[in-house]
Amino acid sequence: MSNIVSSQAADHSKYGGVIPELASRLHQQSIVPIVELALEKAGIQMNTLTAIACTRGPGLMGALLVGYNFAKGLSLALSIPLIGVDHIQAHILAHFIEEPKPDFPFLCLVVSGGHTSLYHCVSPLELNVIGTTLDDAAGEAFDKTAKMLGLDYPGGPLVDQWASKGTRAKYAFPIPSVPGYNFSFSGLKTAILYFLQENVLKEKDFRENNMADICLSVQDTIIKIVLQKLEKAALELGITNIALAGGVSANSGLRLAVQELCENRNWKAFIPDFQYCTDNAAMIACAAAFNFRQGRADRLNDAPYSRGNQTN
Ligand code: KG4
Ligand code: ZN
């Protein structure tokens, strides 16, 4: 009914990354106006709500505490259940906000700023993680590359924009060999750092002169790393419904690559609408609805969690 997104990107960009204490304070400042705006846009009164949902984790504790305790307060004041939602579960269940919805079982590649995992999705509340990153997340790899290139935070969308103007396969970066369905991006980060240092020594404006080609080569490498595991899992598990979720699923190169992979293999690709890729309220509400129908609700002494998840 309304899906308001309050971005803090401009507040954090001058620091080149998220400052946890600042994020927490900005959440505190925004929460009341955002809730009021969401109700106004939806055209409903607070006292007509039947339940309240919010993210319980994983994430930055200071920001989670603001949202979770605010929702807890509302739930007590209105005598309605509080549904604390797992952030990753919500990214996956964002596929059920609008058509086309994936049929179970499906594989979901969750790529965000904090997570890179592969999920075997059996039912809405049975989402089993089969692989995860051993170090950085895919979004972090994008953001750190952007930072090394002197681009703003969050750099993922900027790398995407530059890459669209680049020449393919200009530079080669290593693809790590990681067991099972797991991922790793720390080697790539180091390789990019050394690559840039070496070339800037030879040519002072190397980054600026080759921005588009560097961005495309890095983006293609990140895509190769995640798609290789996605394809392997789909083949080994015999799953033909493939979904993409999380902020990095807004990446145009990744969207195209998943579509192409699925066309070649005769699989079905489910790629979320842009507004449901990066963090948003609709995905939390959608995941909460599945939990609510199962009678799940949080208790007064439940607390947010910064790491891990409830889905495995
Ligand atoms: O899911 P999300 O909104 O927040 C987390 O839960 O982390 O994901 C944010 C991440 C950031 O790292 C951002 O750079 C990345 O998603 N991102 C992109 C694009 N749009 C957002 N990365 C690459 N290309 C994009 N177009
Ligand atoms: Zn997210």
Side-chain angles (χ1 to χ4, degrees):
M1 298 174 81
S2 65
N3 186 26
I4 316 286
V5 173
S6 164
S7 172
Q8 300 182 359
D11 302 279
H12 295 284
S13 77
K14 55 180 171 287
Y15 305 105
V18 172
I19 307 293
E21 175 64 18
L22 179 62
S24 172
R25 285 166 191 249
L26 292 171
H27 272 71
Q28 189 65 57
Q29 277 171 27
S30 315
I31 193 129
V32 172
I34 292 293
V35 169
E36 281 173 349
L37 188 61
L39 288 166
E40 189 190 313
K41 280 229 165 169
I44 54 171
Q45 302 288 320
M46 203 177 263
N47 59 11
T48 63
L49 297 174
T50 47
I52 172 106
C54 72
T55 305
R56 187 165 165 201
L60 284 176
M61 187 47 89
L64 291 169
L65 279 168
V66 173
Y68 193 74
N69 285 323
F70 184 83
K72 208 183 250 185
L74 268 187
S75 130
L76 284 173
L78 301 170
S79 294
I80 54 174
L82 164 69
I83 323 284
V85 170
D86 184 89
H87 185 78
I88 307 301
Q89 186 185 56
H91 269 302
I92 300 171
L93 295 176
H95 281 282
F96 295 87
I97 301 172
E98 282 173 7
E99 298 293 342
K101 297 170 183 165
D103 288 322
F104 290 99
F106 65 92
L107 271 184
C108 189
L109 174 67
V110 185
V111 272
S112 73
H115 302 270
T116 298
S117 305
L118 204 50
Y119 280 79
H120 180 201
C121 306
V122 183
S123 72
L125 300 180
E126 212 179 323
L127 310 170
N128 303 314
V129 67
I130 56 169
T132 191
T133 180
L134 304 178
D135 39 60
D136 293 348
E140 242 176 306
F142 271 106
D143 296 339
K144 284 177 180 168
T145 299
K147 196 171 179 184
M148 289 188 262
L149 289 171
L151 301 174
D152 274 351
Y153 176 87
L158 300 171
V159 171
D160 190 354
Q161 277 168 31
W162 274 105
S164 67
K165 292 173 246 156
T167 305
R168 182 136 276 147
K170 209 54 192 300
Y171 308 107
F173 296 106
I175 304 286
S177 124
V178 183
Y181 305 131
N182 295 320
F183 309 89
S184 168
F185 295 96
S186 66
L188 174 63
K189 188 177 60 184
T190 313
I192 297 167
L193 179 70
Y194 290 158
F195 164 82
L196 291 176
Q197 281 176 348
E198 214 172 277
N199 281 289
V200 168
L201 270 182
K202 288 188 241 159
E203 178 190 341
K204 196 173 122 302
D205 295 328
F206 175 79
R207 296 183 314 178
E208 293 75 8
N209 295 341
N210 301 281
M211 191 65 86
D213 295 343
I214 302 169
C215 285
L216 182 58
S217 293
V218 171
Q219 179 172 295
D220 280 347
T221 308
I222 295 173
I223 294 172
K224 211 163 169 187
I225 293 173
V226 291
L227 279 212
Q228 171 176 287
K229 295 302 173 90
L230 179 65
E231 187 172 22
K232 174 179 156 75
L235 289 172
E236 289 176 359
L237 300 173
I239 296 179
T240 56
N241 291 321
I242 309 294
L244 199 54
V248 182
S249 57
N251 182 268
S252 53
L254 179 61
R255 295 168 82 89
L256 196 65
V258 169
Q259 249 152 13
E260 278 174 4
L261 168 71
C262 290
E263 269 162 33
N264 292 340
R265 291 270 183 197
N266 216 7
W267 295 341
K268 254 182 161 171
F270 295 89
I271 296 170
D273 203 64
F274 281 110
Q275 62 171 326
Y276 305 131
C277 288
T278 40
D279 293 349
N280 63 88
M283 71 180 195
I284 304 298
C286 189
F290 284 110
N291 284 281
F292 185 54
R293 283 188 213 120
Q294 293 291 317
R296 292 195 186 167
D298 289 30
R299 291 154 304 186
L300 195 57
N301 63 350
D302 282 333
Y305 50 91
S306 56
R307 283 172 188 280
N309 62 47
Q310 296 170 314
T311 59
N312 60 4

